[in-house]
Amino acid sequence: MPNDLFRVAVIGAGETGTPLLRTLLDAPFVELLGVADLDAEAPGARLARERGVATTTDFMELARLGDRLDILIDVTGVPAVREALRREMLESGNHHTLIVHEMVVQLMLSLLSGKLVRLKHGAQDY
C-alpha cells in the first residue's frame, strides 16, 4: 500500500545531514519527527528547530519512537551508531521502521542532482 505521508527522523545534522534536511523539510509528503546530533547547535539542528521540529543530542530517542516512525535516516557514518540502531529495533520488536544508511542517502542525493554527490563526514565519535 503506497504512503501518502512518510514519517522520517534523521541522525546527523552537520554537512551531510543539513542539505538532506532542507529537502525533507520542503517535501509536503514528509513529516519530520525529529533530528539528532551530538552538537545541539549543528546547522541542521538549528534549521530543524526553526521549522518546529524536535531535536535531541541522544540519537536513541529517535530509535525509540517505534512504529510511529517509518524511516530513520543515519548519515553519521559511524558504525557504532548503526549497530546501536539495529540492536534497538531487534530488542524492541520494531519491524516497521526502516533504517536508511548514508550510502542510500548518497545515491538519492546523487540521482536528484544528476551527478555523484560526495558526503562529508567529520571525525565525530558517538
Side-chain angles (χ1 to χ4, degrees):
M1 186 158 80
N3 280 1
D4 291 332
L5 183 69
F6 297 92
R7 297 165 305 167
V8 178
V10 176
I11 303 171
E15 285 186 72
T16 299
T18 302
L20 174 65
L21 284 167
R22 278 194 200 97
T23 303
L24 292 169
L25 285 163
D26 290 342
F29 46 85
V30 171
E31 180 184 359
L32 194 56
L33 298 186
V35 174
D37 197 285
L38 287 179
D39 177 4
E41 293 306 311
R46 285 198 313 267
L47 174 66
R49 281 194 302 277
E50 287 167 10
R51 300 281 289 271
V53 174
T55 63
T56 181
T57 55
D58 178 6
F59 69 91
M60 291 305 290
E61 283 183 33
L62 301 179
R64 293 185 191 109
L65 289 172
D67 289 356
R68 292 184 354 200
L69 183 62
D70 298 321
I71 301 170
L72 181 52
I73 302 173
D74 170 21
V75 291
T76 64
V78 179
V81 170
R82 201 171 319 130
E83 285 308 310
L85 293 174
R86 287 183 185 142
R87 202 167 35 256
E88 172 63 25
M89 296 303 157
L90 189 62
E91 290 172 3
S92 68
N94 182 345
H95 299 288
H96 175 77
T97 304
L98 178 67
I99 301 170
V100 174
H101 182 277
E102 65 269 4
M103 190 182 298
V104 176
V105 171
Q106 182 181 15
L107 172 62
M108 290 187 309
L109 292 174
S110 296
L111 288 169
L112 285 171
S113 71
K115 64 182 189 305
L116 180 63
V117 171
R118 300 242 180 245
L119 301 184
K120 299 173 185 168
H121 290 293
Q124 190 76 23
D125 245 346
Y126 280 76

